[in-house]
Amino acid sequence: MGDRGGAGGSRRRRTGSRTASGGSGGGGTSGSQTEEELRAAAGAGADAGGGGDTPTPTAAPACTRTPSEEGDGEGVGPPDLRCHRLQESLFSSASGFSNYRGILNWCVVMLILSNARLFLENIIKYGILVDPIQVVSLFLKDPYSWPSLCLIIVANGFALAAFQVEKRLAVGTITERVGLLLYVANLLTMLCFPAAVVFMVKSITPVGSVFALGVYTVLFLKMVSYYHVNLWCRQYRAKSQAASGTKKANGNVVSNGVKYPANLTYRDLYYFLFAPTLCYELNFPRSPRIRKRFLLRRLFEMLFFTQLLVGLIQQWMVPTIQNSMKPFKDMDYSRIIERLLKLAVPNHFIWLIFFYWFFHSCLNAVAELMQFGDREFYRDWWNSESVTYFWQNWNIPVHKWCLRHFYKPVMKMGVNKWMAKIGVFLASAFFHEYLVSVPLRMFRPWAFTGMMAQIPLAWVVGRFLQGNYGNAAVWLSLIIGQPVAVLMYVHDYYVLNYEAQPTS
Amino acid sequence: MGDRGGAGGSRRRRTGSRTASGGSGGGGTSGSQTEEELRAAAGAGADAGGGGDTPTPTAAPACTRTPSEEGDGEGVGPPDLRCHRLQESLFSSASGFSNYRGILNWCVVMLILSNARLFLENIIKYGILVDPIQVVSLFLKDPYSWPSLCLIIVANGFALAAFQVEKRLAVGTITERVGLLLYVANLLTMLCFPAAVVFMVKSITPVGSVFALGVYTVLFLKMVSYYHVNLWCRQYRAKSQAASGTKKANGNVVSNGVKYPANLTYRDLYYFLFAPTLCYELNFPRSPRIRKRFLLRRLFEMLFFTQLLVGLIQQWMVPTIQNSMKPFKDMDYSRIIERLLKLAVPNHFIWLIFFYWFFHSCLNAVAELMQFGDREFYRDWWNSESVTYFWQNWNIPVHKWCLRHFYKPVMKMGVNKWMAKIGVFLASAFFHEYLVSVPLRMFRPWAFTGMMAQIPLAWVVGRFLQGNYGNAAVWLSLIIGQPVAVLMYVHDYYVLNYEAQPTS
């Protein structure tokens, strides 16, 4: 109310002064004040006493005569018949008006209405497709065989193997070279073994294998970090032992935390494995206590958004994808684009909900349970004005890992900055592909290409678009880019697995 | 870029100070600066030298030790292995983060994409329906009979009749009472005659008759204003003549404009009739010259938006309305709501374009041609936070007329403020109904009800919603309210005229 009154007041002040100074056409401007004040007073009354519409004292045009109190034309003074002023329309650039605040609300209302209609159309067309029981079948084909769970349990073996290598490296039973070889073998097996299992075991479902492979990927990244940090600690220990004869400085700085060989315990290893981070550290920052209300809210969000995600996928995503198959087979381009845009909306909403569910609810719940202090799982990527900023801020655990265990070590090896960045994207593209192609048992370069396409995209956006345009470009690439990849995979999977079936 | 850097900087400053003061869990915080600075420096490098990501000097946590220059763990100092900090996630209320500026861009991108899809879907479904020739048939049934044009030419007669009455009133040939009676008769005929013609002449089309009735309505309002102002002038003349014996004051104030009886010329009358205002005035403010570039731009807009409006109606509105008929007949409520929401989007866009086309392009073009100075045809209704504010600001010519020639005279007669306001809405509702029911030759109370429903709506919105919520409510009532009325009329018109035809 106050804001609106302020805007109106300033506008009237401007036009008022223009009238006072620029009344060149027609008669004098003496009468315009009364009419305007009466109108403004009536307007203020209509606003139920808001008073936002009355002109400010400075808004009165220069006028020496007091307005006639008797009203229009009935007083002794000349009739106040003027009700027009020399002024521009607001849309004309000459008016200087620029308050389009209401347009934001318009956008929000239009978006809500559009999507309410889509929702209603969907319900009318397909009925209610949400089926929580069906979700179980995505994880299990055969209720007596749980291959994904077995895979995840086996993953412990790789972590324990790495732990044993570290133990021996710490006491010097094996040399650094042997340790590195053992680590590399362990890490490679960690990637190849689950992939092989997924290919061999026919009872594993795509969703189950994505889950298992995700766990293995996280374990892989964590173990790389574990090795690196312990290696750095050994290097420091060797140097400080060599220097201990000459000076005994700085030893007190790290004395209030765990020092190197003392961190090699099962307890420390498993804390790291379950902690919501990919970067190992000897002394993680810990939150002082478990906040029960916070934890309960996060757990409730986890449950609620899981239901919502499953519901949206079943109700909105699956029918849209199924309807996209025919245009794709016919190579009907205008329909493909229409389907793509139709798919983009639910896909984007699901991605946004997934983001909140995973990065805020799940990781915070785990962190709260483990009293893990660092909750920076994401930064303000929604304000990204460049693609680079987005990738640096939307997934902080992975970004931190890439920076600490890939980008900086590679830079230290003397590699060019741009090569190192491309290397990071290549590694990221590899893991994206690994997590999609292996579970689908189908090698297609779409996820890989999608990740690698970020490099030219980042260059183009950074070069040509700035500010809000850059932000809009990032949003556009998110909203459009993902459904393209999704449609590609679904189409190929469909052709590969269901081509024999008749399409309606 | 600068804005983003500022946001990032302030965030980092906050978290940095938190780490310095709150490093209670785990080891000391001495090592965290180096890691953060390295990361930030790498981030700034990735931003192509933008430098927006580097911490501000005040952001450095309290740290007495200089960071080791040799990098992680290879220096003589203790290894800088810390890469976590005690901090909250941004979505947690404890983080104090509130920069969601990017969401506005997200809204815009989503809106554009949604409507691009609707557009594409429409083209695929219906092909191109735009047909400029068909527009002519909306105005003409029989190419040798132009009833609407004849009606508009006849309208001159009413204006001239009023002029002759004024002439006689000015010189006192007829009394005020006779003059008022003649005026009332003239004004009533002005409303009834075209309505009667529309009912009798079968060759008149609905669109043609809306146009003719619109012209008559405008003429009616203008003539009321013409009568009022001339009456006020006569009253003032009588008073000043009576007072001229005692004092000779204020005579010079209006001396530089046209004084009362001198304004009763054909030239003055026709200037008023064509001027883009409904309120008569003896000395309109005039713009100093015709700006040719401005005029050309407005004329181009008029042409372009006319085409766009016709195209959108033919391509988007008509098919949607046709598809709405079956659910309406079946009284299938969920489908009716779905159709309503589907219709709301094109209807709203068309209304917005119509608003710009009429109130900015057309009225400004006419005003520029006539060097009419007052271009305030609308105010910033898009920022309306109450329904009242919307109605006071979206159509300034009508609002001005209602205030000057209805609300204030009625108030002066001692009528209650609320009664006067309801009277304004009643009059407005009457003319809305007049302009819709007569051309369709079908009396339904929908337009009337729609206007009258604004009064309780205004009360509810003003009572319960403020600020952005009020603004959103105004938008919602605009977006939803209009298509409801449109669908009502179309449905009834369809039932009345085409019910015998089979529906597909």
Side-chain angles (χ1 to χ4, degrees), chain A residues 3-22:
Chain A
D3 198 21
R4 180 166 62 80
S10 64
R11 181 164 52 74
R12 192 154 295 122
R13 183 156 51 244
R14 190 182 46 66
T15 52
S17 61
R18 173 180 306 212
T19 310
S21 61

Side-chain angles (χ1 to χ4, degrees), chain A residues 380 383 385 389 467-468, chain B residues 1-11 52 99 101-102:
Chain A
D380 61 335
N383 296 332
E385 291 173 4
Y389 189 85
N468 285 338
Chain B
M1 202 73 172
D3 198 21
R4 179 165 63 80
S10 64
R11 180 164 53 73
N99 181 4
R101 199 166 30 84

